[in-house]
Amino acid sequence: MQIISTVADMQALAHELRSQDLITGLVPTMGALHEGHLALVRLAAERADKVIVSIFVNPTQFAPNEDFTKYPRELEADVAKCEAAGADYVFAPPPDEIYPKGYSTYLTEERIAKPLEGVSRPTHFRGVTTVVAKLFNICRPDLAVFGQKDAQQVAVIQKMVTDLNFPVDVVVAPTLREPDGLAMSSRNRYLTNTQRTEALALSQALFKARDMVAAGERRSDRLIAEATHILSQHRRVRVIYVALVDRHTMEPMREVEPGRSLIAIAAWVDEVRLIDNIVL
Ligand code: PAF
């Protein structure tokens, strides 16, 4: 396992892998790796000859009032996990490698990034697309693996790849859940035991919607009302949105179209902001 920390070294390695005709897979992460991330690494290892995991807590996707400084950083443990999961390289640059002094170029996707997360986090996806485009240019992967847990991020990145002709295959891995249903997330570690129990409301609301659809319900208003009702029964949970949208465009849908619709939830559990979704 090799750890690379400069852009120049990573670009040289990417060039070397290309010249050997090796298929390269990239798993972009912000570290604090959990089983959900490691499933992405394993999937990349199945599909690619060489796997790069990037570990970079990207400052541009956090608003000033968000958890950038408190976001967990544990490189040594992360590297060991990457190695065990089958990664070949960890690219872990310091912030000024990615954003040197005077940096001033940003990339925005202007449609899919606007609703849902974009309403309460208006600069978030600009940071994500900027850093992912940079990682694609630096690591030059043939494929990149992202988790369905961040459904809007997946849709935005797929659009960026199409619109800007990045020669990268975007692979989407299913959300991994704890046995009780909680979607795995680096932010779950912020939760106290009581908050964690309350956080189960998100997956419970989504599973209820899924069960209603299995029983024949198609109307989004009814599904949203039921999911919102479940969330409202939890004292510490404050809903940011519950929406039924097209999984590719994030536009609202009146009726479920199986395989195309997604029900997405964002909610505060006290001061911890969580998101989750399920494809219906
Ligand atoms: O999903 C994440 O962890 C981040 O948004 C990503 C894709 C690594 C970009 O910083």
Side-chain angles (χ1 to χ4, degrees):
M1 162 72 71
Q2 201 179 323
I3 304 171
I4 296 131
S5 54
T6 69
V7 169
D9 286 351
M10 189 62 242
Q11 283 182 315
L13 172 68
H15 180 74
E16 173 70 24
L17 296 175
R18 291 219 148 238
S19 67
Q20 291 175 24
D21 264 351
L22 293 169
I23 308 269
T24 305
L26 172 68
V27 183
T29 80
M30 297 205 300
L33 303 180
H34 51 68
E35 269 306 311
H37 293 113
L38 302 180
L40 309 184
V41 177
R42 289 188 198 104
L43 184 57
E46 276 170 28
R47 308 247 179 131
D49 300 314
K50 294 288 176 193
V51 175
I52 305 165
V53 179
S54 63
I55 298 182
F56 180 66
V57 186
N58 175 34
T60 61
Q61 70 189 74
F62 291 80
N65 59 334
E66 292 180 352
D67 55 345
F68 173 68
T69 41
K70 109 167 195 216
Y71 202 85
R73 287 154 172 91
E74 44 201 43
L75 186 59
E76 215 176 300
D78 284 345
V79 168
K81 289 177 190 171
C82 288
E83 185 160 28
D88 300 283
Y89 309 100
V90 166
F91 176 47
D96 60 357
E97 271 295 303
I98 299 296
Y99 301 111
K101 199 166 181 297
Y103 186 88
S104 60
T105 303
Y106 295 89
L107 184 60
T108 51
E109 190 289 323
E110 304 212 333
R111 194 176 302 158
I112 301 168
K114 288 255 165 37
L116 307 181
E117 290 298 285
V119 174
S120 46
R121 308 183 73 195
T123 57
H124 172 67
F125 287 116
R126 168 186 185 262
V128 171
T129 44
T130 299
V131 82
V132 171
K134 285 175 68 77
L135 290 169
F136 285 178
N137 284 334
I138 297 164
C139 303
R140 300 188 59 201
D142 298 285
L143 61 93
V145 187
F146 296 88
Q148 176 62 27
K149 156 85 169 34
D150 295 304
Q152 191 173 7
Q153 168 170 283
V154 164
V156 168
I157 288 169
Q158 277 169 331
K159 191 66 170 40
M160 175 191 91
V161 162
T162 305
D163 285 352
L164 298 183
N165 311 98
F166 278 103
V168 178
D169 186 12
V170 175
V171 177
V172 184
T175 303
L176 242 64
R177 297 183 180 279
E178 303 290 353
D180 58 9
L182 184 69
M184 290 189 188
S185 162
S186 303
R187 290 189 168 102
N188 289 351
R189 65 180 69 196
Y190 298 152
L191 299 166
T192 62
N193 287 342
T194 318
Q195 290 167 340
R196 196 189 171 292
T197 306
E198 291 277 284
L200 292 177
L202 276 78
S203 51
Q204 282 162 3
L206 294 172
F207 296 159
K208 176 70 185 182
R210 185 187 59 195
D211 293 347
M212 287 170 73
V213 171
E217 183 60 77
R218 289 287 176 273
R219 281 182 48 179
S220 68
D221 55 348
R222 294 200 181 129
L223 295 165
I224 291 169
E226 185 58 32
T228 308
H229 173 66
I230 290 172
L231 292 160
S232 72
Q233 288 174 319
H234 293 78
R235 201 168 61 80
R236 294 173 186 273
V237 176
R238 275 172 296 132
V239 174
I240 303 167
Y241 59 77
V242 178
L244 196 135
V245 295
D246 180 308
R247 63 187 293 194
H248 302 295
T249 63
M250 297 293 133
E251 279 168 12
M253 297 178 86
R254 278 169 192 269
E255 298 232 320
V256 171
E257 279 186 38
R260 203 178 124 198
S261 311
L262 177 105
I263 181 159
I265 295 176
W268 291 102
V269 178
D270 293 334
E271 72 292 350
V272 185
R273 192 183 191 284
L274 297 177
I275 57 171
D276 196 358
N277 71 84
I278 213 165
V279 176
L280 295 172

